[in-house]
Amino acid sequence: MTLSSIALANLRRRKARATFLIAGLLIGVATVVALVTLARSMAGEARTNLQSYGANIVIQPKGNDVSLSYGGIDVGGVNVGEQGLDEADLARVRSIPARASVSVVAPELVGAVQVKGRRALLMGVDPVAQFKLKRWWTVDAGRPPQNDHEFVAGAKAASVLDLQMGDYVRIEGKRFTLTGILRPTGAQDDDLLIADLAAVQDLLDRRGELTLIEVAAAYSGASVDQIVRQLSAALPGAEVSTVREAVQSRLHAVDEFKGFSLAIVGIVVGIEVLVVFLTMMGSVSERTTEIGVFRAIGFRRTQITRLVLLEAVVAGVIAGVLGYVAGMAVTYAVLPALAEGAPVAWMPLLGVAAVAAAALIGALAALYPALRAGKLDPTEALRAL
């Protein structure tokens, strides 16, 4: 008969105490797993949302104004017609040390034009980059421009100028075909006419010039602040700023939840240690006679100590496995209420860590009771027979 078989037999014989011990550890493990997984899932959802918001870095020429408006002549503190950025700056953006963390670089040139006798704002873009950056742009019954004589219109611009799909329109003497109308966004995009960048540069006689460069940084790589510093160094004549407002509250909430989770984890671990300690102390007190018999038939003190520790470790392993499963189940139930649509972040290593931590907590909490059991005098223990 081995120590492990004796430990398992003791747990089976004392089902109520074993159940209480495992349940105490299980609840703790499940709580920790649920909190850690929820925090990771919410953080992942926040990062995904950050990408969907589009540009998180805006590069514009330095100016005295602080406004950035499509709706007027001023665009980022530079009057239309003045020298701004140029296409050579795009190469500088793509050459910064953290370039691997830059997911989209979208150049823009904005200028005032005459369309159907009305004043309108025309924006030249790289259609592929711009529609990837601004994922909320949806073209109704059409498509983005694919060459230098096509354009799309914002919802308000199309209404004011009475534009319909397939219309041929002359802009500053050049004929363009309307290939799509953007769904209303409730933003300045609704006022724009959007065409290929090179075509707009030729039309405005501003070849190579840019008004803005919008950049989307991948939040899984270098920090946005680090990228901003590198862009500022690469473009000393430009103003590099971040767009944070749309997600700042969400990120703050995730950070607060992480802090709350850490505090709860500390409390739960303390409770688990107390539960195991009291349970094992009670178990040792109940088994004084049994321990005396073991000592009388030749068990050494170290073997008695190892036997008690082994029982706690076995209970911890069982609780760790069941607790991980229960914690993931709680995550699936609670996450939709905290972050609708967010996928659950599966972390296999967390399961391994949960089992190992439960076994370790069980062993540490049972250490004193185990040492106490090993020090029992067999003569005193056998007097109860």
PDB file of all heavy atoms in Angstrom, residues 139-177:
ATOM      1  N   VAL A 139     -20.881  51.888 -48.627  1.00  0.00           N
ATOM      2  CA  VAL A 139     -21.404  52.445 -49.868  1.00  0.00           C
ATOM      3  C   VAL A 139     -22.716  51.754 -50.202  1.00  0.00           C
ATOM      4  O   VAL A 139     -22.764  50.533 -50.382  1.00  0.00           O
ATOM      5  CB  VAL A 139     -20.401  52.279 -51.016  1.00  0.00           C
ATOM      6  CG1 VAL A 139     -20.981  52.860 -52.307  1.00  0.00           C
ATOM      7  CG2 VAL A 139     -19.091  52.958 -50.678  1.00  0.00           C
ATOM      8  N   ASP A 140     -23.803  52.531 -50.259  1.00  0.00           N
ATOM      9  CA  ASP A 140     -25.109  51.970 -50.611  1.00  0.00           C
ATOM     10  C   ASP A 140     -25.205  51.797 -52.118  1.00  0.00           C
ATOM     11  O   ASP A 140     -24.971  52.725 -52.896  1.00  0.00           O
ATOM     12  CB  ASP A 140     -26.235  52.901 -50.136  1.00  0.00           C
ATOM     13  CG  ASP A 140     -26.595  52.652 -48.686  1.00  0.00           C
ATOM     14  OD1 ASP A 140     -26.404  51.511 -48.223  1.00  0.00           O
ATOM     15  OD2 ASP A 140     -27.039  53.590 -48.010  1.00  0.00           O
ATOM     16  N   ALA A 141     -25.584  50.612 -52.533  1.00  0.00           N
ATOM     17  CA  ALA A 141     -25.871  50.328 -53.943  1.00  0.00           C
ATOM     18  C   ALA A 141     -24.764  50.832 -54.865  1.00  0.00           C
ATOM     19  O   ALA A 141     -25.017  51.490 -55.867  1.00  0.00           O
ATOM     20  CB  ALA A 141     -27.216  50.943 -54.343  1.00  0.00           C
ATOM     21  N   GLY A 142     -23.558  50.547 -54.497  1.00  0.00           N
ATOM     22  CA  GLY A 142     -22.455  50.997 -55.329  1.00  0.00           C
ATOM     23  C   GLY A 142     -21.143  50.427 -54.836  1.00  0.00           C
ATOM     24  O   GLY A 142     -21.114  49.395 -54.155  1.00  0.00           O
ATOM     25  N   ARG A 143     -20.069  51.134 -55.120  1.00  0.00           N
ATOM     26  CA  ARG A 143     -18.736  50.668 -54.738  1.00  0.00           C
ATOM     27  C   ARG A 143     -17.811  51.867 -54.606  1.00  0.00           C
ATOM     28  O   ARG A 143     -18.099  52.963 -55.107  1.00  0.00           O
ATOM     29  CB  ARG A 143     -18.192  49.703 -55.795  1.00  0.00           C
ATOM     30  CG  ARG A 143     -18.142  50.296 -57.193  1.00  0.00           C
ATOM     31  CD  ARG A 143     -17.434  49.399 -58.177  1.00  0.00           C
ATOM     32  NE  ARG A 143     -17.509  49.912 -59.536  1.00  0.00           N
ATOM     33  CZ  ARG A 143     -16.737  50.889 -60.002  1.00  0.00           C
ATOM     34  NH1 ARG A 143     -15.843  51.472 -59.195  1.00  0.00           N
ATOM     35  NH2 ARG A 143     -16.845  51.305 -61.252  1.00  0.00           N
ATOM     36  N   PRO A 144     -16.660  51.673 -53.952  1.00  0.00           N
ATOM     37  CA  PRO A 144     -15.676  52.757 -53.860  1.00  0.00           C
ATOM     38  C   PRO A 144     -15.089  53.065 -55.240  1.00  0.00           C
ATOM     39  O   PRO A 144     -15.166  52.242 -56.157  1.00  0.00           O
ATOM     40  CB  PRO A 144     -14.603  52.186 -52.925  1.00  0.00           C
ATOM     41  CG  PRO A 144     -15.280  51.087 -52.187  1.00  0.00           C
ATOM     42  CD  PRO A 144     -16.289  50.511 -53.139  1.00  0.00           C
ATOM     43  N   PRO A 145     -14.507  54.245 -55.414  1.00  0.00           N
ATOM     44  CA  PRO A 145     -13.869  54.564 -56.702  1.00  0.00           C
ATOM     45  C   PRO A 145     -12.684  53.640 -56.966  1.00  0.00           C
ATOM     46  O   PRO A 145     -11.943  53.284 -56.053  1.00  0.00           O
ATOM     47  CB  PRO A 145     -13.407  56.020 -56.514  1.00  0.00           C
ATOM     48  CG  PRO A 145     -13.351  56.225 -55.039  1.00  0.00           C
ATOM     49  CD  PRO A 145     -14.396  55.344 -54.448  1.00  0.00           C
ATOM     50  N   GLN A 146     -12.541  53.261 -58.218  1.00  0.00           N
ATOM     51  CA  GLN A 146     -11.468  52.342 -58.589  1.00  0.00           C
ATOM     52  C   GLN A 146     -10.485  52.938 -59.594  1.00  0.00           C
ATOM     53  O   GLN A 146      -9.486  52.309 -59.925  1.00  0.00           O
ATOM     54  CB  GLN A 146     -12.071  51.052 -59.164  1.00  0.00           C
ATOM     55  CG  GLN A 146     -12.882  50.269 -58.147  1.00  0.00           C
ATOM     56  CD  GLN A 146     -13.487  49.004 -58.721  1.00  0.00           C
ATOM     57  OE1 GLN A 146     -13.486  48.797 -59.937  1.00  0.00           O
ATOM     58  NE2 GLN A 146     -13.999  48.142 -57.861  1.00  0.00           N
ATOM     59  N   ASN A 147     -10.765  54.142 -60.085  1.00  0.00           N
ATOM     60  CA  ASN A 147      -9.826  54.805 -60.993  1.00  0.00           C
ATOM     61  C   ASN A 147      -9.926  56.306 -60.803  1.00  0.00           C
ATOM     62  O   ASN A 147     -10.673  56.782 -59.935  1.00  0.00           O
ATOM     63  CB  ASN A 147     -10.094  54.393 -62.452  1.00  0.00           C
ATOM     64  CG  ASN A 147     -11.541  54.628 -62.859  1.00  0.00           C
ATOM     65  OD1 ASN A 147     -12.040  55.750 -62.729  1.00  0.00           O
ATOM     66  ND2 ASN A 147     -12.220  53.588 -63.329  1.00  0.00           N
ATOM     67  N   ASP A 148      -9.184  57.059 -61.619  1.00  0.00           N
ATOM     68  CA  ASP A 148      -9.068  58.505 -61.385  1.00  0.00           C
ATOM     69  C   ASP A 148     -10.202  59.324 -61.968  1.00  0.00           C
ATOM     70  O   ASP A 148     -10.139  60.558 -61.954  1.00  0.00           O
ATOM     71  CB  ASP A 148      -7.727  59.013 -61.917  1.00  0.00           C
ATOM     72  CG  ASP A 148      -7.569  58.771 -63.416  1.00  0.00           C
ATOM     73  OD1 ASP A 148      -8.519  58.254 -64.044  1.00  0.00           O
ATOM     74  OD2 ASP A 148      -6.494  59.098 -63.954  1.00  0.00           O
ATOM     75  N   HIS A 149     -11.254  58.703 -62.492  1.00  0.00           N
ATOM     76  CA  HIS A 149     -12.414  59.471 -62.956  1.00  0.00           C
ATOM     77  C   HIS A 149     -13.712  58.981 -62.298  1.00  0.00           C
ATOM     78  O   HIS A 149     -14.797  59.153 -62.851  1.00  0.00           O
ATOM     79  CB  HIS A 149     -12.531  59.423 -64.495  1.00  0.00           C
ATOM     80  CG  HIS A 149     -12.640  58.026 -65.048  1.00  0.00           C
ATOM     81  ND1 HIS A 149     -11.538  57.313 -65.468  1.00  0.00           N
ATOM     82  CD2 HIS A 149     -13.717  57.234 -65.261  1.00  0.00           C
ATOM     83  CE1 HIS A 149     -11.928  56.127 -65.910  1.00  0.00           C
ATOM     84  NE2 HIS A 149     -13.251  56.056 -65.804  1.00  0.00           N
ATOM     85  N   GLU A 150     -13.595  58.379 -61.123  1.00  0.00           N
ATOM     86  CA  GLU A 150     -14.758  57.956 -60.347  1.00  0.00           C
ATOM     87  C   GLU A 150     -14.712  58.598 -58.966  1.00  0.00           C
ATOM     88  O   GLU A 150     -13.650  58.943 -58.461  1.00  0.00           O
ATOM     89  CB  GLU A 150     -14.799  56.432 -60.209  1.00  0.00           C
ATOM     90  CG  GLU A 150     -14.967  55.704 -61.530  1.00  0.00           C
ATOM     91  CD  GLU A 150     -14.989  54.181 -61.376  1.00  0.00           C
ATOM     92  OE1 GLU A 150     -14.560  53.691 -60.306  1.00  0.00           O
ATOM     93  OE2 GLU A 150     -15.409  53.504 -62.318  1.00  0.00           O
ATOM     94  N   PHE A 151     -15.889  58.737 -58.345  1.00  0.00           N
ATOM     95  CA  PHE A 151     -15.945  59.287 -56.992  1.00  0.00           C
ATOM     96  C   PHE A 151     -17.182  58.781 -56.276  1.00  0.00           C
ATOM     97  O   PHE A 151     -18.118  58.251 -56.893  1.00  0.00           O
ATOM     98  CB  PHE A 151     -15.934  60.828 -57.030  1.00  0.00           C
ATOM     99  CG  PHE A 151     -17.250  61.462 -57.402  1.00  0.00           C
ATOM    100  CD1 PHE A 151     -18.011  62.134 -56.456  1.00  0.00           C
ATOM    101  CD2 PHE A 151     -17.735  61.400 -58.710  1.00  0.00           C
ATOM    102  CE1 PHE A 151     -19.218  62.731 -56.795  1.00  0.00           C
ATOM    103  CE2 PHE A 151     -18.939  61.995 -59.059  1.00  0.00           C
ATOM    104  CZ  PHE A 151     -19.683  62.660 -58.093  1.00  0.00           C
ATOM    105  N   VAL A 152     -17.162  58.893 -54.956  1.00  0.00           N
ATOM    106  CA  VAL A 152     -18.346  58.608 -54.144  1.00  0.00           C
ATOM    107  C   VAL A 152     -18.685  59.883 -53.377  1.00  0.00           C
ATOM    108  O   VAL A 152     -17.837  60.770 -53.188  1.00  0.00           O
ATOM    109  CB  VAL A 152     -18.117  57.434 -53.160  1.00  0.00           C
ATOM    110  CG1 VAL A 152     -17.866  56.140 -53.899  1.00  0.00           C
ATOM    111  CG2 VAL A 152     -16.975  57.735 -52.202  1.00  0.00           C
ATOM    112  N   ALA A 153     -19.920  59.967 -52.922  1.00  0.00           N
ATOM    113  CA  ALA A 153     -20.386  61.170 -52.238  1.00  0.00           C
ATOM    114  C   ALA A 153     -20.936  60.820 -50.874  1.00  0.00           C
ATOM    115  O   ALA A 153     -21.550  59.768 -50.682  1.00  0.00           O
ATOM    116  CB  ALA A 153     -21.467  61.865 -53.072  1.00  0.00           C
ATOM    117  N   GLY A 154     -20.706  61.706 -49.913  1.00  0.00           N
ATOM    118  CA  GLY A 154     -21.347  61.570 -48.615  1.00  0.00           C
ATOM    119  C   GLY A 154     -22.841  61.773 -48.760  1.00  0.00           C
ATOM    120  O   GLY A 154     -23.317  62.381 -49.724  1.00  0.00           O
ATOM    121  N   ALA A 155     -23.601  61.260 -47.785  1.00  0.00           N
ATOM    122  CA  ALA A 155     -25.064  61.294 -47.888  1.00  0.00           C
ATOM    123  C   ALA A 155     -25.603  62.716 -48.035  1.00  0.00           C
ATOM    124  O   ALA A 155     -26.475  62.989 -48.879  1.00  0.00           O
ATOM    125  CB  ALA A 155     -25.662  60.626 -46.656  1.00  0.00           C
ATOM    126  N   LYS A 156     -25.092  63.658 -47.251  1.00  0.00           N
ATOM    127  CA  LYS A 156     -25.590  65.025 -47.302  1.00  0.00           C
ATOM    128  C   LYS A 156     -25.168  65.715 -48.596  1.00  0.00           C
ATOM    129  O   LYS A 156     -25.967  66.435 -49.231  1.00  0.00           O
ATOM    130  CB  LYS A 156     -25.077  65.818 -46.104  1.00  0.00           C
ATOM    131  CG  LYS A 156     -25.623  67.232 -46.031  1.00  0.00           C
ATOM    132  CD  LYS A 156     -25.135  67.946 -44.776  1.00  0.00           C
ATOM    133  CE  LYS A 156     -25.650  69.381 -44.718  1.00  0.00           C
ATOM    134  NZ  LYS A 156     -25.159  70.086 -43.514  1.00  0.00           N
ATOM    135  N   ALA A 157     -23.921  65.490 -49.015  1.00  0.00           N
ATOM    136  CA  ALA A 157     -23.449  66.090 -50.261  1.00  0.00           C
ATOM    137  C   ALA A 157     -24.269  65.594 -51.446  1.00  0.00           C
ATOM    138  O   ALA A 157     -24.632  66.376 -52.335  1.00  0.00           O
ATOM    139  CB  ALA A 157     -21.970  65.768 -50.460  1.00  0.00           C
ATOM    140  N   ALA A 158     -24.583  64.305 -51.465  1.00  0.00           N
ATOM    141  CA  ALA A 158     -25.378  63.750 -52.562  1.00  0.00           C
ATOM    142  C   ALA A 158     -26.771  64.365 -52.583  1.00  0.00           C
ATOM    143  O   ALA A 158     -27.321  64.655 -53.655  1.00  0.00           O
ATOM    144  CB  ALA A 158     -25.467  62.236 -52.412  1.00  0.00           C
ATOM    145  N   SER A 159     -27.355  64.600 -51.405  1.00  0.00           N
ATOM    146  CA  SER A 159     -28.690  65.184 -51.337  1.00  0.00           C
ATOM    147  C   SER A 159     -28.689  66.642 -51.792  1.00  0.00           C
ATOM    148  O   SER A 159     -29.525  67.058 -52.594  1.00  0.00           O
ATOM    149  CB  SER A 159     -29.220  65.072 -49.906  1.00  0.00           C
ATOM    150  OG  SER A 159     -30.469  65.709 -49.778  1.00  0.00           O
ATOM    151  N   VAL A 160     -27.743  67.422 -51.293  1.00  0.00           N
ATOM    152  CA  VAL A 160     -27.682  68.851 -51.628  1.00  0.00           C
ATOM    153  C   VAL A 160     -27.398  69.054 -53.114  1.00  0.00           C
ATOM    154  O   VAL A 160     -27.977  69.940 -53.770  1.00  0.00           O
ATOM    155  CB  VAL A 160     -26.612  69.552 -50.769  1.00  0.00           C
ATOM    156  CG1 VAL A 160     -26.366  70.968 -51.262  1.00  0.00           C
ATOM    157  CG2 VAL A 160     -27.035  69.562 -49.309  1.00  0.00           C
ATOM    158  N   LEU A 161     -26.510  68.243 -53.672  1.00  0.00           N
ATOM    159  CA  LEU A 161     -26.127  68.393 -55.077  1.00  0.00           C
ATOM    160  C   LEU A 161     -27.022  67.591 -56.019  1.00  0.00           C
ATOM    161  O   LEU A 161     -26.792  67.596 -57.239  1.00  0.00           O
ATOM    162  CB  LEU A 161     -24.669  67.952 -55.259  1.00  0.00           C
ATOM    163  CG  LEU A 161     -23.622  68.777 -54.490  1.00  0.00           C
ATOM    164  CD1 LEU A 161     -22.244  68.137 -54.604  1.00  0.00           C
ATOM    165  CD2 LEU A 161     -23.594  70.207 -55.014  1.00  0.00           C
ATOM    166  N   ASP A 162     -28.017  66.882 -55.446  1.00  0.00           N
ATOM    167  CA  ASP A 162     -28.958  66.082 -56.238  1.00  0.00           C
ATOM    168  C   ASP A 162     -28.213  65.078 -57.115  1.00  0.00           C
ATOM    169  O   ASP A 162     -28.396  65.012 -58.333  1.00  0.00           O
ATOM    170  CB  ASP A 162     -29.843  66.993 -57.102  1.00  0.00           C
ATOM    171  CG  ASP A 162     -31.014  66.236 -57.725  1.00  0.00           C
ATOM    172  OD1 ASP A 162     -31.423  65.210 -57.140  1.00  0.00           O
ATOM    173  OD2 ASP A 162     -31.509  66.669 -58.790  1.00  0.00           O
ATOM    174  N   LEU A 163     -27.359  64.300 -56.454  1.00  0.00           N
ATOM    175  CA  LEU A 163     -26.574  63.302 -57.168  1.00  0.00           C
ATOM    176  C   LEU A 163     -27.245  61.941 -57.086  1.00  0.00           C
ATOM    177  O   LEU A 163     -27.756  61.554 -56.022  1.00  0.00           O
ATOM    178  CB  LEU A 163     -25.165  63.218 -56.577  1.00  0.00           C
ATOM    179  CG  LEU A 163     -24.305  64.485 -56.678  1.00  0.00           C
ATOM    180  CD1 LEU A 163     -22.994  64.295 -55.925  1.00  0.00           C
ATOM    181  CD2 LEU A 163     -24.022  64.826 -58.142  1.00  0.00           C
ATOM    182  N   GLN A 164     -27.223  61.207 -58.184  1.00  0.00           N
ATOM    183  CA  GLN A 164     -27.757  59.854 -58.242  1.00  0.00           C
ATOM    184  C   GLN A 164     -26.670  58.916 -58.747  1.00  0.00           C
ATOM    185  O   GLN A 164     -25.732  59.324 -59.437  1.00  0.00           O
ATOM    186  CB  GLN A 164     -28.977  59.791 -59.178  1.00  0.00           C
ATOM    187  CG  GLN A 164     -30.104  60.742 -58.827  1.00  0.00           C
ATOM    188  CD  GLN A 164     -30.763  60.396 -57.507  1.00  0.00           C
ATOM    189  OE1 GLN A 164     -30.832  59.221 -57.136  1.00  0.00           O
ATOM    190  NE2 GLN A 164     -31.246  61.413 -56.791  1.00  0.00           N
ATOM    191  N   MET A 165     -26.833  57.645 -58.405  1.00  0.00           N
ATOM    192  CA  MET A 165     -25.852  56.650 -58.836  1.00  0.00           C
ATOM    193  C   MET A 165     -25.695  56.678 -60.354  1.00  0.00           C
ATOM    194  O   MET A 165     -26.672  56.719 -61.103  1.00  0.00           O
ATOM    195  CB  MET A 165     -26.302  55.252 -58.406  1.00  0.00           C
ATOM    196  CG  MET A 165     -25.971  54.935 -56.963  1.00  0.00           C
ATOM    197  SD  MET A 165     -24.202  54.655 -56.782  1.00  0.00           S
ATOM    198  CE  MET A 165     -23.979  53.280 -57.902  1.00  0.00           C
ATOM    199  N   GLY A 166     -24.440  56.659 -60.819  1.00  0.00           N
ATOM    200  CA  GLY A 166     -24.158  56.638 -62.249  1.00  0.00           C
ATOM    201  C   GLY A 166     -24.126  57.994 -62.906  1.00  0.00           C
ATOM    202  O   GLY A 166     -23.830  58.083 -64.109  1.00  0.00           O
ATOM    203  N   ASP A 167     -24.417  59.080 -62.142  1.00  0.00           N
ATOM    204  CA  ASP A 167     -24.383  60.426 -62.721  1.00  0.00           C
ATOM    205  C   ASP A 167     -22.972  60.783 -63.182  1.00  0.00           C
ATOM    206  O   ASP A 167     -21.976  60.418 -62.550  1.00  0.00           O
ATOM    207  CB  ASP A 167     -24.831  61.466 -61.685  1.00  0.00           C
ATOM    208  CG  ASP A 167     -26.345  61.510 -61.531  1.00  0.00           C
ATOM    209  OD1 ASP A 167     -27.030  60.802 -62.288  1.00  0.00           O
ATOM    210  OD2 ASP A 167     -26.821  62.244 -60.651  1.00  0.00           O
ATOM    211  N   TYR A 168     -22.931  61.519 -64.287  1.00  0.00           N
ATOM    212  CA  TYR A 168     -21.665  62.098 -64.742  1.00  0.00           C
ATOM    213  C   TYR A 168     -21.641  63.541 -64.261  1.00  0.00           C
ATOM    214  O   TYR A 168     -22.568  64.308 -64.510  1.00  0.00           O
ATOM    215  CB  TYR A 168     -21.556  62.048 -66.270  1.00  0.00           C
ATOM    216  CG  TYR A 168     -21.502  60.640 -66.821  1.00  0.00           C
ATOM    217  CD1 TYR A 168     -22.622  60.056 -67.419  1.00  0.00           C
ATOM    218  CD2 TYR A 168     -20.325  59.894 -66.750  1.00  0.00           C
ATOM    219  CE1 TYR A 168     -22.578  58.763 -67.915  1.00  0.00           C
ATOM    220  CE2 TYR A 168     -20.268  58.593 -67.248  1.00  0.00           C
ATOM    221  CZ  TYR A 168     -21.400  58.042 -67.835  1.00  0.00           C
ATOM    222  OH  TYR A 168     -21.352  56.766 -68.329  1.00  0.00           O
ATOM    223  N   VAL A 169     -20.574  63.910 -63.587  1.00  0.00           N
ATOM    224  CA  VAL A 169     -20.478  65.247 -62.998  1.00  0.00           C
ATOM    225  C   VAL A 169     -19.143  65.851 -63.375  1.00  0.00           C
ATOM    226  O   VAL A 169     -18.105  65.179 -63.330  1.00  0.00           O
ATOM    227  CB  VAL A 169     -20.596  65.174 -61.450  1.00  0.00           C
ATOM    228  CG1 VAL A 169     -20.450  66.563 -60.842  1.00  0.00           C
ATOM    229  CG2 VAL A 169     -21.905  64.540 -61.038  1.00  0.00           C
ATOM    230  N   ARG A 170     -19.183  67.138 -63.735  1.00  0.00           N
ATOM    231  CA  ARG A 170     -17.931  67.839 -64.016  1.00  0.00           C
ATOM    232  C   ARG A 170     -17.490  68.589 -62.768  1.00  0.00           C
ATOM    233  O   ARG A 170     -18.245  69.382 -62.200  1.00  0.00           O
ATOM    234  CB  ARG A 170     -18.096  68.809 -65.185  1.00  0.00           C
ATOM    235  CG  ARG A 170     -18.232  68.096 -66.510  1.00  0.00           C
ATOM    236  CD  ARG A 170     -17.885  68.988 -67.695  1.00  0.00           C
ATOM    237  NE  ARG A 170     -17.838  68.198 -68.928  1.00  0.00           N
ATOM    238  CZ  ARG A 170     -16.766  67.577 -69.377  1.00  0.00           C
ATOM    239  NH1 ARG A 170     -15.624  67.663 -68.699  1.00  0.00           N
ATOM    240  NH2 ARG A 170     -16.806  66.889 -70.499  1.00  0.00           N
ATOM    241  N   ILE A 171     -16.269  68.287 -62.344  1.00  0.00           N
ATOM    242  CA  ILE A 171     -15.678  68.961 -61.187  1.00  0.00           C
ATOM    243  C   ILE A 171     -14.462  69.706 -61.690  1.00  0.00           C
ATOM    244  O   ILE A 171     -13.477  69.078 -62.144  1.00  0.00           O
ATOM    245  CB  ILE A 171     -15.286  67.954 -60.085  1.00  0.00           C
ATOM    246  CG1 ILE A 171     -16.494  67.117 -59.648  1.00  0.00           C
ATOM    247  CG2 ILE A 171     -14.681  68.680 -58.894  1.00  0.00           C
ATOM    248  CD1 ILE A 171     -16.168  66.040 -58.624  1.00  0.00           C
ATOM    249  N   GLU A 172     -14.535  71.041 -61.630  1.00  0.00           N
ATOM    250  CA  GLU A 172     -13.444  71.881 -62.132  1.00  0.00           C
ATOM    251  C   GLU A 172     -13.047  71.479 -63.552  1.00  0.00           C
ATOM    252  O   GLU A 172     -11.860  71.421 -63.888  1.00  0.00           O
ATOM    253  CB  GLU A 172     -12.238  71.799 -61.188  1.00  0.00           C
ATOM    254  CG  GLU A 172     -12.504  72.228 -59.766  1.00  0.00           C
ATOM    255  CD  GLU A 172     -12.833  73.710 -59.666  1.00  0.00           C
ATOM    256  OE1 GLU A 172     -12.272  74.488 -60.455  1.00  0.00           O
ATOM    257  OE2 GLU A 172     -13.642  74.087 -58.799  1.00  0.00           O
ATOM    258  N   GLY A 173     -14.070  71.173 -64.357  1.00  0.00           N
ATOM    259  CA  GLY A 173     -13.827  70.883 -65.772  1.00  0.00           C
ATOM    260  C   GLY A 173     -13.530  69.434 -66.090  1.00  0.00           C
ATOM    261  O   GLY A 173     -13.508  69.058 -67.262  1.00  0.00           O
ATOM    262  N   LYS A 174     -13.304  68.599 -65.086  1.00  0.00           N
ATOM    263  CA  LYS A 174     -13.012  67.176 -65.346  1.00  0.00           C
ATOM    264  C   LYS A 174     -14.235  66.341 -65.034  1.00  0.00           C
ATOM    265  O   LYS A 174     -14.904  66.548 -64.022  1.00  0.00           O
ATOM    266  CB  LYS A 174     -11.826  66.712 -64.497  1.00  0.00           C
ATOM    267  CG  LYS A 174     -11.448  65.256 -64.749  1.00  0.00           C
ATOM    268  CD  LYS A 174     -10.177  64.866 -64.005  1.00  0.00           C
ATOM    269  CE  LYS A 174      -9.832  63.400 -64.282  1.00  0.00           C
ATOM    270  NZ  LYS A 174      -8.565  62.988 -63.623  1.00  0.00           N
ATOM    271  N   ARG A 175     -14.517  65.375 -65.921  1.00  0.00           N
ATOM    272  CA  ARG A 175     -15.725  64.559 -65.765  1.00  0.00           C
ATOM    273  C   ARG A 175     -15.449  63.374 -64.855  1.00  0.00           C
ATOM    274  O   ARG A 175     -14.486  62.634 -65.023  1.00  0.00           O
ATOM    275  CB  ARG A 175     -16.199  64.058 -67.120  1.00  0.00           C
ATOM    276  CG  ARG A 175     -17.596  63.417 -67.058  1.00  0.00           C
ATOM    277  CD  ARG A 175     -18.116  63.187 -68.450  1.00  0.00           C
ATOM    278  NE  ARG A 175     -18.148  61.768 -68.749  1.00  0.00           N
ATOM    279  CZ  ARG A 175     -18.886  61.229 -69.713  1.00  0.00           C
ATOM    280  NH1 ARG A 175     -19.614  62.004 -70.500  1.00  0.00           N
ATOM    281  NH2 ARG A 175     -18.869  59.942 -69.925  1.00  0.00           N
ATOM    282  N   PHE A 176     -16.355  63.212 -63.870  1.00  0.00           N
ATOM    283  CA  PHE A 176     -16.291  62.096 -62.926  1.00  0.00           C
ATOM    284  C   PHE A 176     -17.625  61.346 -62.954  1.00  0.00           C
ATOM    285  O   PHE A 176     -18.678  61.929 -63.225  1.00  0.00           O
ATOM    286  CB  PHE A 176     -16.032  62.583 -61.496  1.00  0.00           C
ATOM    287  CG  PHE A 176     -14.632  63.053 -61.240  1.00  0.00           C
ATOM    288  CD1 PHE A 176     -14.252  64.346 -61.582  1.00  0.00           C
ATOM    289  CD2 PHE A 176     -13.691  62.210 -60.665  1.00  0.00           C
ATOM    290  CE1 PHE A 176     -12.963  64.786 -61.345  1.00  0.00           C
ATOM    291  CE2 PHE A 176     -12.404  62.650 -60.424  1.00  0.00           C
ATOM    292  CZ  PHE A 176     -12.040  63.940 -60.761  1.00  0.00           C
ATOM    293  N   THR A 177     -17.548  60.048 -62.630  1.00  0.00           N
ATOM    294  CA  THR A 177     -18.749  59.212 -62.530  1.00  0.00           C
ATOM    295  C   THR A 177     -18.990  58.867 -61.066  1.00  0.00           C
ATOM    296  O   THR A 177     -18.072  58.429 -60.362  1.00  0.00           O
ATOM    297  CB  THR A 177     -18.586  57.913 -63.335  1.00  0.00           C
ATOM    298  OG1 THR A 177     -18.288  58.237 -64.685  1.00  0.00           O
ATOM    299  CG2 THR A 177     -19.860  57.079 -63.271  1.00  0.00           C
TER     300      THR A 177
END
